[in-house]
């Protein structure tokens, strides 16, 4: 297999991929693009996107990277087409992007408040997302029957949501985030980001 090359911007969505690479334990080259971003910068659209290169394959979307890496290097963190849990794996993987986008909208509202952020439509959407996930996590330690690449993807989004909104009213999500951040691979990824 080719050596992977990850262009990583600390505090950006590429943290998902750095964490996943550490979970997989495969060889990769890490290029840190710039110093750690503020939360505002991390949530804002930026031109210098993170990227993953695997031989001739190049990707810029973290959801695609997660699918690719799990499919090609970590089948134990994936749910293959036709397998039990496939629909849930895909659903939670893509829900991670919904959650982080709603957190970004709330963050923009906080920075430029035309209406109080706590009563805004953006906050209602974020709260709805958190409720969906909180209800699910009442029944499970991880998103699926065991830890998967979807947890790397969505776990980062929960972390971002906790920075924007806090998780005081969602103890199940606090516990989930604590489990994610306690994983040795998460800690290594965090250390590599600094």
């Amino acid at each position: 297999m080719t050596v992977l090359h990850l262009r990583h911007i600390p505090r950006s969505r590429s943290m998902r991929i750095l964490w996943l690479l550490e979970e997989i334990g495969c060889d990769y080259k890490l290029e840190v693009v710039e110093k750690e971003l503020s939360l505002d910068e991390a949530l804002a659209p930026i031109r210098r996107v993170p990227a993953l290169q695997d031989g001739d394959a190049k990707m810029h979307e973290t959801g695609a990277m997660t699918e690719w890496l799990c499919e090609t290097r970590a089948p134990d963190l994936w749910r293959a087409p036709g397998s039990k849990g496939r629909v849930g794996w895909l659903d939670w993987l893509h829900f991670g992007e919904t959650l982080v986008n709603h957190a970004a909208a709330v963050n923009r509202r906080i920075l430029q408040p035309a209406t109080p952020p706590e009563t805004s439509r953006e906050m209602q959407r974020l709260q709805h997302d958190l409720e969906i996930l909180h209800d699910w996590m009442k029944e499970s330690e991880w998103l699926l029957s065991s830890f998967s690449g979807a947890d790397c993807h969505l776990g980062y989004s929960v972390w971002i949501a906790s920075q924007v909104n806090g998780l005081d009213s969602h103890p199940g999500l606090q516990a989930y985030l604590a489990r994610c951040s306690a994983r040795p691979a998460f800690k290594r990824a965090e250390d590599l980001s600094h």
Side-chain angles (χ1 to χ4, degrees):
M1 287 203 156
T2 59
V3 175
L4 298 159
H5 178 185
L6 175 65
R7 191 167 3 133
H8 171 59
I9 301 171
R11 246 187 117 114
S12 76
R13 294 172 189 176
S14 62
M15 176 63 180
R16 295 167 165 164
I17 306 309
L18 183 56
W19 175 16
L20 180 57
L21 287 168
E22 287 296 316
E23 291 285 350
I24 294 169
C26 62
D27 290 333
Y28 66 92
K29 178 183 173 195
L30 178 63
E31 176 189 349
V32 178
V33 174
E34 58 185 75
K35 67 181 173 85
E36 187 171 330
L37 301 176
S38 70
L39 184 61
D40 307 338
E41 293 167 322
L43 291 172
I46 53 176
R47 293 196 171 115
R48 298 176 313 275
V49 294
L52 178 72
Q53 184 170 354
D54 183 4
D56 292 335
K58 296 177 185 176
M59 289 166 261
H60 296 92
E61 175 56 50
T62 58
M65 292 176 205
T66 299
E67 286 193 58
W68 177 262
L69 289 170
C70 290
E71 178 182 338
T72 61
R73 286 181 170 76
D76 57 316
L77 298 179
W78 189 46
R79 300 303 184 270
S83 69
K84 184 177 179 186
R86 171 67 173 181
V87 171
W89 193 87
L90 287 171
D91 191 40
W92 289 122
L93 178 75
H94 294 283
F95 188 76
E97 204 58 32
T98 297
L99 181 60
V100 82
N101 283 329
H102 288 164
V106 168
N107 191 58
R108 283 190 298 273
R109 175 70 68 175
I110 290 168
L111 294 174
Q112 301 171 347
T115 48
E118 57 278 357
T119 62
S120 70
R121 193 169 188 204
E122 293 87 355
M123 182 60 86
Q124 291 171 357
R125 287 180 180 147
L126 178 59
Q127 288 299 328
H128 177 73
D129 293 347
L130 292 172
E131 286 299 321
I132 289 170
L133 187 55
H134 187 255
D135 287 347
W136 181 262
M137 295 311 297
K138 287 178 186 174
E139 305 296 322
S140 180
E141 187 173 327
W142 300 109
L143 292 171
L144 304 174
S145 57
S146 61
F147 182 83
S148 74
D151 289 296
C152 292
H153 201 78
L154 188 56
Y156 166 83
S157 299
V158 172
W159 180 81
I160 286 291
S162 76
Q163 302 298 302
V164 171
N165 182 64
L167 298 174
D168 293 341
S169 59
H170 300 93
L173 294 184
Q174 287 177 327
Y176 173 66
L177 185 55
R179 285 190 296 277
C180 287
S181 59
R183 294 185 67 83
F186 181 90
K187 290 178 180 181
R188 287 191 304 272
E190 228 178 9
D191 289 344
L192 289 168
S193 287
H194 297 291

